[in-house]
Amino acid sequence: MAGVNRFINSCVACGNALKWIPVVFIVTVIVWSYYAYVVQLCFSKLQSCFLPIVFYLVIYHVLLVMLSWSYWQTIFTPVGTVPKQFRLSAADLERFEQAEGLEAHQQILEQIARNLPALTRTPIGPRYCEKCVHIKPDRCHHCSVCGVCVTKMDHHCPWVNNCVGFKNYKFFILFLGYAFIYCIFVAFTSLPYFIQFWKVPVMHANEIPGTGRFHVLFLFFVSIMFSISLVSLWGYHIYLVLHNRSTLEAFRAPIFRSGPDKDGFNLGKYNNFVEVFGDRKSHWLLPVFTSMGDGVTFPQRHMDEDEDSLLGARSQRWMEEGGVENTRLETNPYHVVNLDPLVQTV
């Protein structure tokens, strides 16, 4: 039995190690691009083009630092997990497991969800995760790779070996943006030398000698290839931010009591942007956490008086129980008109 457990643990460890292969690939490309651009291109041209090359090096290193910082934050920021208040108690779980029939299960979940600020639901009742044994907060989904429910989950990204959700969504968007600008900068600044390589003999006095020539040629092609793929992905996520949707919500609209609505959390483009990037403009371009809210409660676009009263009471009980932690939304998150700075309505 001990041998079987060791074998299983070894397989799990190997599986976890394999998940890092895409990250290692990205890091390897970045390290190689540094060698090709700084060592092979810039240093070889430093004497003949001093001022332009120094300018290139300064801009390049700024972009590299911001790219690496954003990538690090995306990878190593822990995913936002569901607060313990959403978990079924031992008594509720026993009652839920002993109940027979779907209707009985849904009635129990409805009773439990009455004290929780959960707006979205399935077509038949509250959203419930059988693996994590809790009611799902709004915009929360279970990740089969991470094995937990992630708050405001967007998707699981193998290139960062992490889920992209409430805690690191800003970092992910900044990573895509800085990676695109990095690739475009490298491509445009290496373009003149790329053209020169096809016109000037290899052993020309001002030419880059040896294998450096091929490093720079390959650098230009790789930067163009990555920039093409990055611009579409980055543009798509900017679109999602401005419409306040996650990737999962774009494919399957969240269901409210009034029915499915892809724009249920849409507060207007500026408010949507502020919800992700925060109200401090000086921090928008920095990979530091400034997102609004707690990842559990979110303002809605539309809400009738009955829902407003019901969910306002839930929110009050939720806050009294200490459910809101590290939140920057100091007012009732269900009143869009009272939010600060989310003060505009659609």
Side-chain angles (χ1 to χ4, degrees), residues 61 87 124 129 132 247:
H61 282 91
R87 188 177 180 85
I124 58 176
C129 180
C132 298
T247 299

Side-chain angles (χ1 to χ4, degrees), residues 48-116:
S48 59
C49 308
F50 181 78
L51 289 179
I53 293 301
V54 170
F55 176 75
Y56 289 169
L57 285 173
V58 171
I59 300 300
Y60 175 86
H61 282 91
V62 170
L63 291 175
L64 180 63
V65 168
M66 299 306 293
L67 165 63
S68 302
W69 187 7
S70 302
Y71 194 43
W72 175 277
Q73 289 283 68
T74 307
I75 294 173
F76 294 106
T77 298
V79 296
T81 54
V82 178
K84 62 181 180 180
Q85 288 87 346
F86 284 81
R87 188 177 180 85
L88 270 64
S89 65
D92 289 333
L93 180 59
E94 182 179 1
R95 187 160 56 97
F96 180 79
E97 291 177 344
Q98 291 178 352
E100 296 182 0
L102 181 61
E103 184 176 351
H105 285 155
Q106 292 303 319
Q107 287 179 351
I108 295 173
L109 294 179
E110 288 282 5
Q111 294 173 0
I112 299 171
R114 285 176 183 172
N115 296 323
L116 298 173

